Amino acid sequence: MTDRYRLCRYDDLAEGRSKGFDPLAEGRDTMFVVRQGDRLYAYRNACPHYDHAFMAWKKDEFLSSDRSQIQCSAHGAMFTIETGACTIGPCLGQSLKPVPLAVEG
Protein backbone atom coordinates (compact mmCIF):
# COMPACT_ATOMS: atom_id res chain seq x y z
CA MET A 1 0.00 0.00 0.00
CA THR A 2 1.29 3.45 -0.91
CA ASP A 3 1.33 6.25 1.63
CA ARG A 4 -0.92 9.17 0.74
CA TYR A 5 -0.48 12.76 1.88
CA ARG A 6 -2.82 15.70 1.63
CA LEU A 7 -0.91 18.54 -0.02
CA CYS A 8 -3.41 21.34 -0.58
CA ARG A 9 -6.80 22.23 -1.94
CA TYR A 10 -7.01 22.24 -5.75
CA ASP A 11 -7.96 25.93 -5.75
CA ASP A 12 -4.91 26.81 -3.62
CA LEU A 13 -2.74 26.31 -6.71
CA ALA A 14 -3.42 29.02 -9.28
CA GLU A 15 -3.50 28.17 -12.97
CA GLY A 16 -0.06 28.52 -14.57
CA ARG A 17 1.73 28.41 -11.21
CA SER A 18 3.85 25.93 -9.27
CA LYS A 19 4.15 25.08 -5.59
CA GLY A 20 6.62 23.03 -3.59
CA PHE A 21 5.68 20.54 -0.87
CA ASP A 22 7.44 18.52 1.82
CA PRO A 23 5.08 15.58 2.46
CA LEU A 24 7.77 13.55 4.24
CA ALA A 25 8.72 16.42 6.59
CA GLU A 26 12.37 16.51 5.47
CA GLY A 27 12.63 20.26 6.04
CA ARG A 28 12.71 21.19 2.34
CA ASP A 29 10.40 20.90 -0.64
CA THR A 30 10.95 17.35 -1.88
CA MET A 31 8.37 17.60 -4.65
CA PHE A 32 6.44 20.22 -6.57
CA VAL A 33 3.15 20.52 -8.43
CA VAL A 34 2.41 22.59 -11.53
CA ARG A 35 -1.11 23.54 -12.53
CA GLN A 36 -1.69 23.99 -16.24
CA GLY A 37 -5.33 24.61 -17.05
CA ASP A 38 -7.32 21.96 -15.22
CA ARG A 39 -4.40 19.51 -15.11
CA LEU A 40 -1.89 18.98 -12.31
CA TYR A 41 1.63 17.63 -12.83
CA ALA A 42 3.86 16.57 -9.94
CA TYR A 43 7.60 15.83 -9.88
CA ARG A 44 10.40 15.20 -7.41
CA ASN A 45 12.36 18.36 -6.62
CA ALA A 46 15.63 17.08 -8.07
CA CYS A 47 17.34 17.74 -11.39
CA PRO A 48 18.21 14.48 -13.20
CA HIS A 49 21.59 16.01 -14.11
CA TYR A 50 22.59 16.22 -10.45
CA ASP A 51 20.22 14.76 -7.87
CA HIS A 52 21.15 17.23 -5.13
CA ALA A 53 20.26 20.27 -7.26
CA PHE A 54 16.90 21.70 -6.26
CA MET A 55 14.74 23.03 -9.05
CA ALA A 56 13.20 26.24 -7.65
CA TRP A 57 15.06 29.55 -7.88
CA LYS A 58 12.95 30.82 -4.95
CA LYS A 59 10.07 29.40 -2.90
CA ASP A 60 7.39 27.94 -5.20
CA GLU A 61 9.07 29.21 -8.40
CA PHE A 62 9.78 26.14 -10.54
CA LEU A 63 8.78 27.60 -13.92
CA SER A 64 10.55 29.60 -16.60
CA SER A 65 9.83 33.34 -16.78
CA ASP A 66 7.11 32.81 -19.41
CA ARG A 67 5.73 29.85 -17.37
CA SER A 68 5.84 27.54 -20.40
CA GLN A 69 8.40 25.08 -18.98
CA ILE A 70 9.91 23.86 -15.73
CA GLN A 71 13.39 25.31 -15.23
CA CYS A 72 16.24 24.06 -13.05
CA SER A 73 17.72 26.95 -11.08
CA ALA A 74 21.11 25.23 -10.78
CA HIS A 75 21.75 24.42 -14.44
CA GLY A 76 19.15 26.35 -16.45
CA ALA A 77 17.87 23.07 -17.88
CA MET A 78 14.30 23.22 -19.23
CA PHE A 79 11.66 20.49 -18.95
CA THR A 80 8.20 20.09 -20.46
CA ILE A 81 5.44 20.52 -17.92
CA GLU A 82 3.38 17.63 -19.30
CA THR A 83 6.10 14.95 -19.36
CA GLY A 84 9.06 16.27 -17.38
CA ALA A 85 11.36 15.55 -20.36
CA CYS A 86 14.45 17.76 -20.65
CA THR A 87 14.33 19.98 -23.75
CA ILE A 88 17.42 22.16 -23.12
CA GLY A 89 20.45 21.70 -20.90
CA PRO A 90 22.98 19.15 -19.65
CA CYS A 91 20.37 16.44 -19.05
CA LEU A 92 18.93 16.03 -22.58
CA GLY A 93 17.42 12.57 -22.89
CA GLN A 94 16.56 12.50 -19.18
CA SER A 95 13.36 13.43 -17.36
CA LEU A 96 12.17 14.63 -14.01
CA LYS A 97 10.81 11.86 -11.80
CA PRO A 98 7.00 12.06 -11.73
CA VAL A 99 5.04 11.80 -8.49
CA PRO A 100 1.55 10.24 -8.67
CA LEU A 101 -1.30 12.53 -7.63
CA ALA A 102 -4.88 11.86 -6.69
CA VAL A 103 -7.44 14.64 -6.74
CA GLU A 104 -10.30 14.06 -4.30
CA GLY A 105 -13.67 15.73 -4.17
Side-chain angles (χ1 to χ4, degrees):
M1 181 173 182
T2 302
D3 291 333
R4 293 176 70 159
Y5 303 89
R6 179 167 296 227
L7 299 176
C8 70
R9 292 173 18 97
Y10 181 84
D11 292 337
D12 290 342
L13 185 57
E15 198 284 319
R17 303 300 296 214
S18 57
K19 186 166 180 60
F21 297 95
D22 182 17
L24 302 177
E26 292 182 9
R28 64 176 184 87
D29 290 336
T30 56
M31 64 167 292
F32 64 95
V33 178
V34 178
R35 180 173 172 188
Q36 192 173 52
D38 292 336
R39 306 265 337 245
L40 299 175
Y41 303 92
Y43 298 99
R44 292 280 304 175
N45 184 13
C47 182
H49 176 242
Y50 181 67
D51 192 43
H52 300 291
F54 305 130
M55 302 292 293
W57 58 275
K58 74 176 191 176
K59 179 69 175 142
D60 297 331
E61 294 293 343
F62 294 88
L63 301 178
S64 59
S65 61
D66 67 359
R67 304 199 177 287
S68 66
Q69 294 193 74
I70 298 164
Q71 183 172 5
C72 175
S73 67
H75 307 104
M78 304 289 259
F79 303 85
T80 62
I81 293 171
E82 299 85 357
T83 67
C86 181
T87 59
I88 297 171
C91 46
L92 281 173
Q94 296 178 296
S95 296
L96 298 173
K97 184 175 180 183
V99 175
L101 285 179
V103 178
E104 298 178 356

Short mmCIF file of all heavy atoms in Angstrom, two decimals, residues 46-74:
data_model
loop_
_atom_site.label_atom_id
_atom_site.label_comp_id
_atom_site.label_asym_id
_atom_site.label_seq_id
_atom_site.Cartn_x
_atom_site.Cartn_y
_atom_site.Cartn_z
N ALA A 46 14.24 17.46 -7.84
CA ALA A 46 15.63 17.08 -8.07
C ALA A 46 15.91 17.05 -9.56
O ALA A 46 15.18 16.41 -10.31
CB ALA A 46 15.92 15.71 -7.46
N CYS A 47 16.95 17.74 -9.98
CA CYS A 47 17.34 17.74 -11.39
C CYS A 47 17.97 16.38 -11.72
O CYS A 47 18.80 15.90 -10.95
CB CYS A 47 18.34 18.87 -11.65
SG CYS A 47 18.84 18.98 -13.37
N PRO A 48 17.61 15.77 -12.85
CA PRO A 48 18.21 14.48 -13.20
C PRO A 48 19.70 14.59 -13.53
O PRO A 48 20.42 13.61 -13.50
CB PRO A 48 17.40 14.01 -14.41
CG PRO A 48 16.78 15.23 -14.96
CD PRO A 48 16.60 16.18 -13.81
N HIS A 49 20.18 15.81 -13.81
CA HIS A 49 21.59 16.01 -14.11
C HIS A 49 22.44 15.85 -12.85
O HIS A 49 23.54 15.31 -12.88
CB HIS A 49 21.80 17.41 -14.71
CG HIS A 49 23.22 17.75 -14.97
ND1 HIS A 49 23.85 18.80 -14.35
CD2 HIS A 49 24.16 17.18 -15.76
CE1 HIS A 49 25.09 18.87 -14.76
NE2 HIS A 49 25.32 17.90 -15.61
N TYR A 50 21.91 16.33 -11.73
CA TYR A 50 22.59 16.22 -10.45
C TYR A 50 21.53 16.17 -9.37
O TYR A 50 20.85 17.16 -9.12
CB TYR A 50 23.53 17.42 -10.24
CG TYR A 50 24.30 17.36 -8.95
CD1 TYR A 50 25.27 16.40 -8.73
CD2 TYR A 50 24.05 18.29 -7.94
CE1 TYR A 50 25.98 16.34 -7.54
CE2 TYR A 50 24.75 18.24 -6.75
CZ TYR A 50 25.71 17.27 -6.55
OH TYR A 50 26.40 17.21 -5.38
N ASP A 51 21.34 15.03 -8.76
CA ASP A 51 20.22 14.76 -7.87
C ASP A 51 20.12 15.73 -6.69
O ASP A 51 19.06 15.92 -6.14
CB ASP A 51 20.28 13.32 -7.35
CG ASP A 51 18.99 12.91 -6.66
OD1 ASP A 51 17.91 13.23 -7.18
OD2 ASP A 51 19.07 12.29 -5.59
N HIS A 52 21.21 16.34 -6.28
CA HIS A 52 21.15 17.23 -5.13
C HIS A 52 20.83 18.68 -5.51
O HIS A 52 20.80 19.55 -4.66
CB HIS A 52 22.46 17.17 -4.35
CG HIS A 52 22.75 15.79 -3.85
ND1 HIS A 52 22.02 15.18 -2.85
CD2 HIS A 52 23.67 14.88 -4.22
CE1 HIS A 52 22.48 13.97 -2.63
NE2 HIS A 52 23.48 13.76 -3.45
N ALA A 53 20.61 18.92 -6.80
CA ALA A 53 20.26 20.27 -7.26
C ALA A 53 18.74 20.45 -7.16
O ALA A 53 17.98 19.70 -7.78
CB ALA A 53 20.72 20.49 -8.69
N PHE A 54 18.33 21.42 -6.39
CA PHE A 54 16.90 21.70 -6.26
C PHE A 54 16.47 22.57 -7.43
O PHE A 54 17.22 23.39 -7.93
CB PHE A 54 16.60 22.38 -4.92
CG PHE A 54 17.11 21.58 -3.75
CD1 PHE A 54 17.87 22.19 -2.77
CD2 PHE A 54 16.84 20.24 -3.64
CE1 PHE A 54 18.34 21.46 -1.69
CE2 PHE A 54 17.31 19.50 -2.56
CZ PHE A 54 18.06 20.11 -1.59
N MET A 55 15.22 22.41 -7.83
CA MET A 55 14.74 23.03 -9.05
C MET A 55 14.35 24.51 -8.91
O MET A 55 14.56 25.29 -9.81
CB MET A 55 13.54 22.24 -9.59
CG MET A 55 13.84 20.78 -9.88
SD MET A 55 14.95 20.56 -11.25
CE MET A 55 13.93 21.14 -12.58
N ALA A 56 13.76 24.89 -7.80
CA ALA A 56 13.20 26.24 -7.65
C ALA A 56 14.30 27.29 -7.47
O ALA A 56 15.26 27.06 -6.76
CB ALA A 56 12.25 26.30 -6.46
N TRP A 57 14.12 28.44 -8.08
CA TRP A 57 15.06 29.55 -7.88
C TRP A 57 14.67 30.38 -6.68
O TRP A 57 15.49 31.11 -6.13
CB TRP A 57 15.21 30.39 -9.14
CG TRP A 57 13.97 31.02 -9.67
CD1 TRP A 57 13.05 30.44 -10.51
CD2 TRP A 57 13.49 32.33 -9.41
NE1 TRP A 57 12.03 31.32 -10.77
CE2 TRP A 57 12.28 32.49 -10.11
CE3 TRP A 57 13.96 33.40 -8.64
CZ2 TRP A 57 11.53 33.66 -10.08
CZ3 TRP A 57 13.21 34.56 -8.61
CH2 TRP A 57 12.03 34.68 -9.33
N LYS A 58 13.41 30.30 -6.24
CA LYS A 58 12.95 30.82 -4.95
C LYS A 58 11.69 30.03 -4.59
O LYS A 58 11.17 29.28 -5.41
CB LYS A 58 12.72 32.33 -4.98
CG LYS A 58 11.51 32.80 -5.71
CD LYS A 58 11.36 34.31 -5.57
CE LYS A 58 10.01 34.74 -6.08
NZ LYS A 58 9.77 36.15 -5.89
N LYS A 59 11.21 30.19 -3.38
CA LYS A 59 10.07 29.40 -2.90
C LYS A 59 8.93 29.38 -3.91
O LYS A 59 8.46 30.43 -4.35
CB LYS A 59 9.60 29.96 -1.56
CG LYS A 59 8.41 29.24 -0.96
CD LYS A 59 8.75 27.86 -0.50
CE LYS A 59 7.53 27.24 0.20
NZ LYS A 59 7.39 25.84 -0.09
N ASP A 60 8.53 28.19 -4.30
CA ASP A 60 7.39 27.94 -5.20
C ASP A 60 7.58 28.45 -6.62
O ASP A 60 6.62 28.52 -7.39
CB ASP A 60 6.09 28.50 -4.62
CG ASP A 60 5.71 27.85 -3.31
OD1 ASP A 60 6.05 26.66 -3.10
OD2 ASP A 60 5.09 28.51 -2.47
N GLU A 61 8.80 28.75 -7.03
CA GLU A 61 9.07 29.21 -8.40
C GLU A 61 9.88 28.15 -9.15
O GLU A 61 11.10 28.15 -9.13
CB GLU A 61 9.79 30.56 -8.41
CG GLU A 61 8.96 31.69 -7.86
CD GLU A 61 7.76 32.05 -8.73
OE1 GLU A 61 7.71 31.67 -9.92
OE2 GLU A 61 6.84 32.71 -8.21
N PHE A 62 9.17 27.25 -9.81
CA PHE A 62 9.78 26.14 -10.54
C PHE A 62 9.69 26.34 -12.06
O PHE A 62 10.19 25.52 -12.81
CB PHE A 62 9.09 24.83 -10.17
CG PHE A 62 9.30 24.42 -8.74
CD1 PHE A 62 8.44 24.87 -7.75
CD2 PHE A 62 10.34 23.60 -8.37
CE1 PHE A 62 8.61 24.51 -6.42
CE2 PHE A 62 10.54 23.23 -7.05
CZ PHE A 62 9.67 23.69 -6.07
N LEU A 63 9.04 27.41 -12.50
CA LEU A 63 8.78 27.60 -13.92
C LEU A 63 9.67 28.66 -14.54
O LEU A 63 10.19 29.55 -13.85
CB LEU A 63 7.31 27.98 -14.13
CG LEU A 63 6.29 26.97 -13.60
CD1 LEU A 63 4.87 27.49 -13.81
CD2 LEU A 63 6.46 25.61 -14.28
N SER A 64 9.81 28.58 -15.86
CA SER A 64 10.55 29.60 -16.60
C SER A 64 9.80 30.92 -16.52
O SER A 64 8.63 30.97 -16.10
CB SER A 64 10.69 29.17 -18.07
OG SER A 64 9.42 28.97 -18.66
N SER A 65 10.43 32.01 -16.91
CA SER A 65 9.83 33.34 -16.78
C SER A 65 8.51 33.47 -17.54
O SER A 65 7.60 34.17 -17.11
CB SER A 65 10.80 34.43 -17.21
OG SER A 65 11.16 34.25 -18.57
N ASP A 66 8.37 32.76 -18.67
CA ASP A 66 7.11 32.81 -19.41
C ASP A 66 6.13 31.70 -18.97
O ASP A 66 5.07 31.54 -19.54
CB ASP A 66 7.35 32.76 -20.92
CG ASP A 66 7.92 31.44 -21.40
OD1 ASP A 66 8.16 30.52 -20.57
OD2 ASP A 66 8.13 31.30 -22.62
N ARG A 67 6.53 30.91 -17.97
CA ARG A 67 5.73 29.85 -17.37
C ARG A 67 5.35 28.72 -18.35
O ARG A 67 4.41 27.99 -18.13
CB ARG A 67 4.48 30.41 -16.70
CG ARG A 67 4.81 31.45 -15.65
CD ARG A 67 3.69 31.67 -14.69
NE ARG A 67 4.09 32.63 -13.67
CZ ARG A 67 4.94 32.40 -12.68
NH1 ARG A 67 5.50 31.24 -12.55
NH2 ARG A 67 5.23 33.34 -11.81
N SER A 68 6.13 28.57 -19.41
CA SER A 68 5.84 27.54 -20.40
C SER A 68 6.56 26.23 -20.12
O SER A 68 6.20 25.19 -20.68
CB SER A 68 6.19 28.02 -21.80
OG SER A 68 7.60 28.20 -21.92
N GLN A 69 7.62 26.27 -19.28
CA GLN A 69 8.40 25.08 -18.98
C GLN A 69 8.87 25.12 -17.53
O GLN A 69 8.89 26.18 -16.90
CB GLN A 69 9.62 24.98 -19.89
CG GLN A 69 9.28 24.76 -21.35
CD GLN A 69 10.50 24.36 -22.13
OE1 GLN A 69 10.97 23.22 -22.01
NE2 GLN A 69 11.05 25.27 -22.91
N ILE A 70 9.27 23.96 -17.03
CA ILE A 70 9.91 23.86 -15.73
C ILE A 70 11.39 24.16 -15.96
O ILE A 70 11.97 23.69 -16.94
CB ILE A 70 9.71 22.45 -15.15
CG1 ILE A 70 8.23 22.15 -14.95
CG2 ILE A 70 10.50 22.28 -13.85
CD1 ILE A 70 7.91 20.69 -14.74
N GLN A 71 11.99 24.93 -15.06
CA GLN A 71 13.39 25.31 -15.23
C GLN A 71 14.19 24.98 -13.97
O GLN A 71 13.78 25.31 -12.86
CB GLN A 71 13.51 26.79 -15.53
CG GLN A 71 14.93 27.23 -15.79
CD GLN A 71 15.03 28.66 -16.27
OE1 GLN A 71 14.05 29.39 -16.32
NE2 GLN A 71 16.23 29.07 -16.61
N CYS A 72 15.34 24.36 -14.16
CA CYS A 72 16.24 24.06 -13.05
C CYS A 72 17.05 25.30 -12.72
O CYS A 72 17.72 25.86 -13.59
CB CYS A 72 17.18 22.91 -13.41
SG CYS A 72 18.41 22.57 -12.15
N SER A 73 16.99 25.74 -11.48
CA SER A 73 17.72 26.95 -11.08
C SER A 73 19.23 26.73 -11.07
O SER A 73 19.99 27.67 -11.26
CB SER A 73 17.26 27.39 -9.69
OG SER A 73 17.66 26.46 -8.71
N ALA A 74 19.68 25.50 -10.88
CA ALA A 74 21.11 25.23 -10.78
C ALA A 74 21.80 25.17 -12.15
O ALA A 74 22.94 25.60 -12.29
CB ALA A 74 21.34 23.92 -10.04
#
